Amino acid sequence: MNAFTPHRPAREPMVNVPRAVVVLIGILVVIHVARLAIGEETDFRVLVDFAFVPARLTVAILPAQLDDVLAAAAARGGQNVLLAQLLLQEGSKLWTLITHAFLHGSWTHLIFNALWLVAFGSPVARRFGAARFFLLAALCAVAGAVFYALFNPYGTIPMIGASGAISGVMAAACRFVFQPGMPWLGHQQGLGEFTPAQSWREILQDRRAMSFIAVWFGVNLVFGVVASPLGLADGGIAWEAHIGGFVAGFLLFPLLDPVARRRR
């Protein structure tokens, strides 16, 4: 005679990170480790080939601006002219609109981006699925680079980092994660995947969502408009790319959101 053992439901982990997010973070870590291993000279070649340089996009679209780009570089010092000449002779390298997001300047840079990706990328990846999640991140990386180039058309300093893409994912998450009862890192079947997103009007009336958006824009504007010009923050912070990615993620969300299509 067998004793009856009641069935116990499987426990949900406290933090349930989707595979797409884990894979993306893993790729970023592998690339960073490889860059540290190949030596400075080879890594410089990696930056030349895969970092985003705004002036290359400017000259590709408006070739007549080449002299202005070199003049702007000369105003910053002799070494900047040599760097500008090296980068511009390489051509437009349009793939860098995306590939810059796979490179990071330090472990601190990478770890902070990974933490933001876990926090905000997890609900978006569960809702979108891997393919749509990666597409959103790629489009926001491109938007961040383009927005950065609009503010720095003659810039010849390579820009790297996934912050523009992650900012877009954060904006997408804002469309649904602040609703009452919505799980964040935890996973409750049917909530993140099927709950309709908030409309523009609902977001404007949602105090939590608007507070987050206001603080997010405020921090980025402080870095860009106040701190960097005064030397109070790292001048390499591409706050323009953050804002470009965020706006793109917010606007692209309804075009990629599968929930509305499933409901129809």
Side-chain angles (χ1 to χ4, degrees), residues 174 177-180 198-216:
C174 287
V177 298
F178 290 108
Q179 299 180 72
Q198 291 178 298
S199 67
W200 286 78
R201 179 176 299 179
E202 289 170 333
I203 290 176
L204 290 173
Q205 295 173 349
D206 188 323
R207 182 176 300 178
R208 292 178 302 173
M210 290 306 300
S211 296
F212 173 82
I213 293 172
V215 169
W216 189 92

mmCIF file of all heavy atoms in Angstrom, residues 174 177-180 198-216:
data_model
loop_
_atom_site.group_PDB
_atom_site.id
_atom_site.type_symbol
_atom_site.label_atom_id
_atom_site.label_comp_id
_atom_site.label_asym_id
_atom_site.label_seq_id
_atom_site.Cartn_x
_atom_site.Cartn_y
_atom_site.Cartn_z
ATOM 1 N N CYS A 174 7.967 50.890 -19.360
ATOM 2 C CA CYS A 174 7.115 51.911 -18.738
ATOM 3 C C CYS A 174 5.678 51.843 -19.235
ATOM 4 O O CYS A 174 4.766 52.322 -18.561
ATOM 5 C CB CYS A 174 7.663 53.311 -19.020
ATOM 6 S SG CYS A 174 9.145 53.728 -18.102
ATOM 7 N N VAL A 177 4.592 48.137 -16.926
ATOM 8 C CA VAL A 177 5.022 47.561 -15.649
ATOM 9 C C VAL A 177 4.526 48.344 -14.432
ATOM 10 O O VAL A 177 4.563 47.815 -13.321
ATOM 11 C CB VAL A 177 6.559 47.442 -15.564
ATOM 12 C CG1 VAL A 177 7.096 46.534 -16.636
ATOM 13 C CG2 VAL A 177 7.231 48.802 -15.608
ATOM 14 N N PHE A 178 4.086 49.571 -14.608
ATOM 15 C CA PHE A 178 3.680 50.369 -13.448
ATOM 16 C C PHE A 178 2.203 50.214 -13.117
ATOM 17 O O PHE A 178 1.709 50.861 -12.196
ATOM 18 C CB PHE A 178 4.010 51.846 -13.682
ATOM 19 C CG PHE A 178 5.490 52.131 -13.664
ATOM 20 C CD1 PHE A 178 6.172 52.436 -14.827
ATOM 21 C CD2 PHE A 178 6.199 52.069 -12.478
ATOM 22 C CE1 PHE A 178 7.522 52.691 -14.815
ATOM 23 C CE2 PHE A 178 7.558 52.314 -12.442
ATOM 24 C CZ PHE A 178 8.230 52.628 -13.619
ATOM 25 N N GLN A 179 1.494 49.370 -13.848
ATOM 26 C CA GLN A 179 0.087 49.140 -13.541
ATOM 27 C C GLN A 179 -0.039 48.354 -12.237
ATOM 28 O O GLN A 179 0.832 47.540 -11.907
ATOM 29 C CB GLN A 179 -0.571 48.374 -14.681
ATOM 30 C CG GLN A 179 -0.539 49.117 -16.017
ATOM 31 C CD GLN A 179 -1.205 48.332 -17.117
ATOM 32 O OE1 GLN A 179 -2.423 48.194 -17.138
ATOM 33 N NE2 GLN A 179 -0.401 47.804 -18.035
ATOM 34 N N PRO A 180 -1.108 48.548 -11.463
ATOM 35 C CA PRO A 180 -1.281 47.836 -10.189
ATOM 36 C C PRO A 180 -1.274 46.321 -10.388
ATOM 37 O O PRO A 180 -1.894 45.791 -11.305
ATOM 38 C CB PRO A 180 -2.659 48.317 -9.713
ATOM 39 C CG PRO A 180 -2.850 49.642 -10.376
ATOM 40 C CD PRO A 180 -2.178 49.520 -11.719
ATOM 41 N N GLN A 198 -0.782 50.463 -21.120
ATOM 42 C CA GLN A 198 -1.474 51.711 -20.838
ATOM 43 C C GLN A 198 -1.458 52.625 -22.058
ATOM 44 O O GLN A 198 -0.495 52.667 -22.809
ATOM 45 C CB GLN A 198 -0.809 52.423 -19.653
ATOM 46 C CG GLN A 198 -0.997 51.721 -18.320
ATOM 47 C CD GLN A 198 -0.270 52.441 -17.197
ATOM 48 O OE1 GLN A 198 0.941 52.552 -17.225
ATOM 49 N NE2 GLN A 198 -1.008 52.921 -16.229
ATOM 50 N N SER A 199 -2.532 53.346 -22.229
ATOM 51 C CA SER A 199 -2.589 54.349 -23.290
ATOM 52 C C SER A 199 -1.785 55.573 -22.866
ATOM 53 O O SER A 199 -1.372 55.702 -21.712
ATOM 54 C CB SER A 199 -4.036 54.744 -23.561
ATOM 55 O OG SER A 199 -4.578 55.424 -22.439
ATOM 56 N N TRP A 200 -1.584 56.496 -23.806
ATOM 57 C CA TRP A 200 -0.891 57.743 -23.478
ATOM 58 C C TRP A 200 -1.591 58.452 -22.329
ATOM 59 O O TRP A 200 -0.946 58.945 -21.406
ATOM 60 C CB TRP A 200 -0.852 58.650 -24.707
ATOM 61 C CG TRP A 200 0.101 58.229 -25.764
ATOM 62 C CD1 TRP A 200 -0.071 57.231 -26.677
ATOM 63 C CD2 TRP A 200 1.399 58.770 -26.020
ATOM 64 N NE1 TRP A 200 1.031 57.119 -27.499
ATOM 65 C CE2 TRP A 200 1.941 58.057 -27.123
ATOM 66 C CE3 TRP A 200 2.143 59.787 -25.441
ATOM 67 C CZ2 TRP A 200 3.198 58.341 -27.645
ATOM 68 C CZ3 TRP A 200 3.405 60.065 -25.973
ATOM 69 C CH2 TRP A 200 3.915 59.345 -27.041
ATOM 70 N N ARG A 201 -2.905 58.532 -22.412
ATOM 71 C CA ARG A 201 -3.652 59.249 -21.371
ATOM 72 C C ARG A 201 -3.502 58.573 -20.020
ATOM 73 O O ARG A 201 -3.331 59.244 -18.989
ATOM 74 C CB ARG A 201 -5.133 59.319 -21.764
ATOM 75 C CG ARG A 201 -6.009 60.033 -20.744
ATOM 76 C CD ARG A 201 -7.443 60.163 -21.242
ATOM 77 N NE ARG A 201 -7.499 60.944 -22.468
ATOM 78 C CZ ARG A 201 -8.621 61.198 -23.124
ATOM 79 N NH1 ARG A 201 -9.781 60.710 -22.687
ATOM 80 N NH2 ARG A 201 -8.601 61.937 -24.216
ATOM 81 N N GLU A 202 -3.535 57.235 -20.003
ATOM 82 C CA GLU A 202 -3.384 56.515 -18.739
ATOM 83 C C GLU A 202 -1.987 56.704 -18.157
ATOM 84 O O GLU A 202 -1.835 56.826 -16.932
ATOM 85 C CB GLU A 202 -3.676 55.032 -18.970
ATOM 86 C CG GLU A 202 -5.141 54.746 -19.234
ATOM 87 C CD GLU A 202 -5.385 53.321 -19.689
ATOM 88 O OE1 GLU A 202 -4.454 52.724 -20.291
ATOM 89 O OE2 GLU A 202 -6.487 52.807 -19.446
ATOM 90 N N ILE A 203 -0.977 56.728 -19.011
ATOM 91 C CA ILE A 203 0.384 56.948 -18.522
ATOM 92 C C ILE A 203 0.511 58.345 -17.923
ATOM 93 O O ILE A 203 1.123 58.532 -16.862
ATOM 94 C CB ILE A 203 1.397 56.745 -19.666
ATOM 95 C CG1 ILE A 203 1.469 55.263 -20.042
ATOM 96 C CG2 ILE A 203 2.783 57.253 -19.266
ATOM 97 C CD1 ILE A 203 2.342 54.971 -21.208
ATOM 98 N N LEU A 204 -0.078 59.340 -18.579
ATOM 99 C CA LEU A 204 -0.018 60.709 -18.062
ATOM 100 C C LEU A 204 -0.717 60.831 -16.715
ATOM 101 O O LEU A 204 -0.388 61.710 -15.909
ATOM 102 C CB LEU A 204 -0.650 61.673 -19.064
ATOM 103 C CG LEU A 204 0.135 61.887 -20.368
ATOM 104 C CD1 LEU A 204 -0.674 62.729 -21.346
ATOM 105 C CD2 LEU A 204 1.474 62.546 -20.090
ATOM 106 N N GLN A 205 -1.684 59.939 -16.456
ATOM 107 C CA GLN A 205 -2.419 59.980 -15.188
ATOM 108 C C GLN A 205 -1.842 59.034 -14.141
ATOM 109 O O GLN A 205 -2.291 59.042 -13.003
ATOM 110 C CB GLN A 205 -3.889 59.626 -15.447
ATOM 111 C CG GLN A 205 -4.623 60.643 -16.301
ATOM 112 C CD GLN A 205 -6.020 60.194 -16.688
ATOM 113 O OE1 GLN A 205 -6.395 59.033 -16.499
ATOM 114 N NE2 GLN A 205 -6.812 61.125 -17.214
ATOM 115 N N ASP A 206 -0.851 58.233 -14.541
ATOM 116 C CA ASP A 206 -0.231 57.272 -13.623
ATOM 117 C C ASP A 206 0.936 57.957 -12.916
ATOM 118 O O ASP A 206 1.971 58.237 -13.521
ATOM 119 C CB ASP A 206 0.252 56.049 -14.406
ATOM 120 C CG ASP A 206 0.722 54.919 -13.491
ATOM 121 O OD1 ASP A 206 1.322 55.204 -12.440
ATOM 122 O OD2 ASP A 206 0.508 53.750 -13.845
ATOM 123 N N ARG A 207 0.780 58.196 -11.643
ATOM 124 C CA ARG A 207 1.792 58.941 -10.894
ATOM 125 C C ARG A 207 3.123 58.212 -10.853
ATOM 126 O O ARG A 207 4.187 58.834 -10.970
ATOM 127 C CB ARG A 207 1.297 59.197 -9.467
ATOM 128 C CG ARG A 207 2.252 60.019 -8.612
ATOM 129 C CD ARG A 207 1.641 60.312 -7.264
ATOM 130 N NE ARG A 207 0.393 61.065 -7.390
ATOM 131 C CZ ARG A 207 -0.370 61.411 -6.345
ATOM 132 N NH1 ARG A 207 -0.013 61.055 -5.121
ATOM 133 N NH2 ARG A 207 -1.480 62.084 -6.546
ATOM 134 N N ARG A 208 3.088 56.906 -10.716
ATOM 135 C CA ARG A 208 4.345 56.149 -10.639
ATOM 136 C C ARG A 208 5.092 56.198 -11.966
ATOM 137 O O ARG A 208 6.310 56.416 -12.005
ATOM 138 C CB ARG A 208 4.053 54.697 -10.240
ATOM 139 C CG ARG A 208 3.541 54.533 -8.819
ATOM 140 C CD ARG A 208 3.230 53.094 -8.525
ATOM 141 N NE ARG A 208 2.235 52.560 -9.453
ATOM 142 C CZ ARG A 208 1.886 51.284 -9.505
ATOM 143 N NH1 ARG A 208 2.474 50.413 -8.697
ATOM 144 N NH2 ARG A 208 0.962 50.866 -10.353
ATOM 145 N N ALA A 209 4.367 55.973 -13.068
ATOM 146 C CA ALA A 209 5.017 56.001 -14.376
ATOM 147 C C ALA A 209 5.592 57.378 -14.675
ATOM 148 O O ALA A 209 6.735 57.506 -15.129
ATOM 149 C CB ALA A 209 4.025 55.593 -15.462
ATOM 150 N N MET A 210 4.815 58.430 -14.419
ATOM 151 C CA MET A 210 5.275 59.778 -14.718
ATOM 152 C C MET A 210 6.425 60.190 -13.812
ATOM 153 O O MET A 210 7.329 60.908 -14.241
ATOM 154 C CB MET A 210 4.116 60.767 -14.597
ATOM 155 C CG MET A 210 3.073 60.633 -15.698
ATOM 156 S SD MET A 210 3.791 60.734 -17.364
ATOM 157 C CE MET A 210 4.520 62.370 -17.334
ATOM 158 N N SER A 211 6.414 59.724 -12.564
ATOM 159 C CA SER A 211 7.520 60.038 -11.654
ATOM 160 C C SER A 211 8.809 59.401 -12.153
ATOM 161 O O SER A 211 9.873 60.038 -12.165
ATOM 162 C CB SER A 211 7.202 59.545 -10.238
ATOM 163 O OG SER A 211 6.086 60.224 -9.709
ATOM 164 N N PHE A 212 8.710 58.142 -12.581
ATOM 165 C CA PHE A 212 9.899 57.459 -13.099
ATOM 166 C C PHE A 212 10.422 58.171 -14.339
ATOM 167 O O PHE A 212 11.630 58.419 -14.467
ATOM 168 C CB PHE A 212 9.576 56.005 -13.421
ATOM 169 C CG PHE A 212 10.716 55.291 -14.107
ATOM 170 C CD1 PHE A 212 11.761 54.774 -13.360
ATOM 171 C CD2 PHE A 212 10.754 55.160 -15.489
ATOM 172 C CE1 PHE A 212 12.823 54.133 -13.984
ATOM 173 C CE2 PHE A 212 11.809 54.527 -16.115
ATOM 174 C CZ PHE A 212 12.848 54.009 -15.361
ATOM 175 N N ILE A 213 9.532 58.493 -15.279
ATOM 176 C CA ILE A 213 9.960 59.142 -16.525
ATOM 177 C C ILE A 213 10.582 60.504 -16.229
ATOM 178 O O ILE A 213 11.605 60.875 -16.806
ATOM 179 C CB ILE A 213 8.764 59.281 -17.489
ATOM 180 C CG1 ILE A 213 8.316 57.897 -17.963
ATOM 181 C CG2 ILE A 213 9.130 60.154 -18.685
ATOM 182 C CD1 ILE A 213 7.035 57.899 -18.764
ATOM 183 N N ALA A 214 9.970 61.260 -15.313
ATOM 184 C CA ALA A 214 10.493 62.587 -14.974
ATOM 185 C C ALA A 214 11.878 62.487 -14.344
ATOM 186 O O ALA A 214 12.793 63.253 -14.687
ATOM 187 C CB ALA A 214 9.529 63.301 -14.030
ATOM 188 N N VAL A 215 12.057 61.531 -13.419
ATOM 189 C CA VAL A 215 13.361 61.362 -12.778
ATOM 190 C C VAL A 215 14.396 60.906 -13.810
ATOM 191 O O VAL A 215 15.533 61.402 -13.825
ATOM 192 C CB VAL A 215 13.265 60.354 -11.619
ATOM 193 C CG1 VAL A 215 14.654 59.969 -11.116
ATOM 194 C CG2 VAL A 215 12.427 60.933 -10.485
ATOM 195 N N TRP A 216 14.000 59.994 -14.693
ATOM 196 C CA TRP A 216 14.928 59.486 -15.701
ATOM 197 C C TRP A 216 15.424 60.609 -16.603
ATOM 198 O O TRP A 216 16.624 60.757 -16.826
ATOM 199 C CB TRP A 216 14.246 58.397 -16.534
ATOM 200 C CG TRP A 216 15.176 57.675 -17.446
ATOM 201 C CD1 TRP A 216 15.872 56.530 -17.178
ATOM 202 C CD2 TRP A 216 15.560 58.067 -18.768
ATOM 203 N NE1 TRP A 216 16.650 56.185 -18.254
ATOM 204 C CE2 TRP A 216 16.478 57.102 -19.244
ATOM 205 C CE3 TRP A 216 15.211 59.129 -19.596
ATOM 206 C CZ2 TRP A 216 17.053 57.181 -20.509
ATOM 207 C CZ3 TRP A 216 15.784 59.210 -20.862
ATOM 208 C CH2 TRP A 216 16.689 58.245 -21.302
#
